[in-house]
Amino acid sequence: MAESFSLQNVLDTFKSSLSENKEIYIQYYIAGWKELVSFMNSLGTVFSFISKDAVNKIQILENLQAGESGSHYLTVQSMVKYELENELVDLTKRSSHPESGCRTLLRLHRALLWLELFLERLRTSTEESKTSVMCSDAYNESLAQHHAWIIRKATGVAFCALPGRDSFFQVMNAGSEQEVVALLGEALALISEVHQITEDLYGQNNLLELP
Ligand code: 1PW
């Protein structure tokens, strides 16, 4: 993405990701993630190790979309249906389908919860709040339980190097602090709706613990 990050872009892409009957277009889900990656990258180089894995996951999904079965990867719903019906998902142990769309998107889905919890903390924070604390609290409540010790250790180091609250508000590129807070509220409503729809879909199909 050539242009620099703005919170409005995140809002717009996640808005576009929801179809009328509340399916999630993978193309826009990915576009939303690309925005988030450019957000993370603007937070400094330590954070790029974190965004790197998200970039890998995005790439896997883009390859599936561009592949010969690409038409089945229009929405998260159609992907789940297609991959399950055709036994393209490793359900208990990574073996013949180590990089299914379902398990790949699940990683982004879990990370999205982290982001949601973090942005909610940022939205309701005060001047004294520490971004490193907000970020690690959000992480411990969500993604940490899915990560091995070594990764938790490394993310902990990355959080310590986060810029302060003021820089975050500036990076959002959405005007005054009040304006950012308002826009965060809007963006969070959407992100949380997209997250909930995915969570329900994955729950109904027993996909929440895919290896
Ligand atoms: C302030 C903004 C925060 C947004 C954070 C969103 C990105 C989260 C990426 C965390 C990645 C940490 C290092 C990689 C870990 C992978 O092992 C893990 N990937 C994720 C996205 O959690 C699991 O993927 P795997 O190893 O099962 O393929």
Side-chain angles (χ1 to χ4, degrees), residues 33 36 39-40 43 47 49-51 53-54 57 94 103 107-108 110-112 114-115 118-119 135 139 143 146-147 151 155 159 162 168 211:
W33 261 102
L36 296 174
F39 170 51
M40 283 186 272
L43 294 173
F47 245 56
F49 113 87
I50 293 187
S51 63
D53 188 64
K57 304 288 192 267
R94 288 183 90 178
R103 71 88 63 191
R107 271 55 188 180
L108 293 178
R110 289 168 173 171
L112 195 63
W114 170 25
L115 187 89
F118 169 68
L119 291 181
C135 212
Y139 178 73
L143 204 48
H146 303 290
H147 282 168
I151 293 183
T155 44
F159 295 160
L162 277 179
F168 269 83

Side-chain angles (χ1 to χ4, degrees), residues 11-19 23-25 28-29 190:
L11 180 68
D12 293 343
T13 43
F14 278 104
K15 208 175 248 171
S16 316
S17 77
L18 278 177
S19 78
E23 296 206 7
I24 299 165
Y25 293 117
Y28 291 106
Y29 188 89
L190 266 168

Side-chain angles (χ1 to χ4, degrees), residues 149-170:
W149 177 85
I150 184 78
I151 293 183
R152 294 203 300 269
K153 200 79 188 157
T155 44
V157 172
F159 295 160
C160 289
L162 277 179
R165 184 173 174 275
D166 288 349
S167 325
F168 269 83
F169 277 93
Q170 258 165 29

Side-chain angles (χ1 to χ4, degrees), residues 35-55:
E35 290 292 336
L36 296 174
V37 165
S38 96
F39 170 51
M40 283 186 272
N41 289 343
S42 62
L43 294 173
T45 43
V46 207
F47 245 56
S48 58
F49 113 87
I50 293 187
S51 63
K52 218 170 155 188
D53 188 64
V55 170

Side-chain angles (χ1 to χ4, degrees), residues 37-125:
V37 165
S38 96
F39 170 51
M40 283 186 272
N41 289 343
S42 62
L43 294 173
T45 43
V46 207
F47 245 56
S48 58
F49 113 87
I50 293 187
S51 63
K52 218 170 155 188
D53 188 64
V55 170
N56 282 337
K57 304 288 192 267
I58 291 168
Q59 190 61 56
I60 293 170
L61 291 172
E62 282 188 326
N63 291 347
L64 287 169
Q65 280 205 315
E68 51 188 36
S69 308
S71 61
H72 298 288
Y73 291 86
L74 181 65
T75 66
V76 179
Q77 286 76 1
S78 66
M79 170 188 80
V80 165
K81 187 166 182 287
Y82 168 71
E83 288 196 342
L84 286 180
E85 282 177 359
N86 292 280
E87 296 179 16
L88 295 171
V89 186
D90 289 342
L91 296 172
T92 51
K93 175 163 151 283
R94 288 183 90 178
S95 54
S96 42
H97 305 289
E99 297 196 327
S100 66
C102 286
R103 71 88 63 191
T104 301
L105 193 122
L106 175 62
R107 271 55 188 180
L108 293 178
H109 169 69
R110 289 168 173 171
L112 195 63
L113 179 61
W114 170 25
L115 187 89
E116 184 186 327
L117 296 175
F118 169 68
L119 291 181
E120 177 56 20
R121 279 178 166 77
L122 191 67
R123 186 182 75 85
T124 53
S125 64

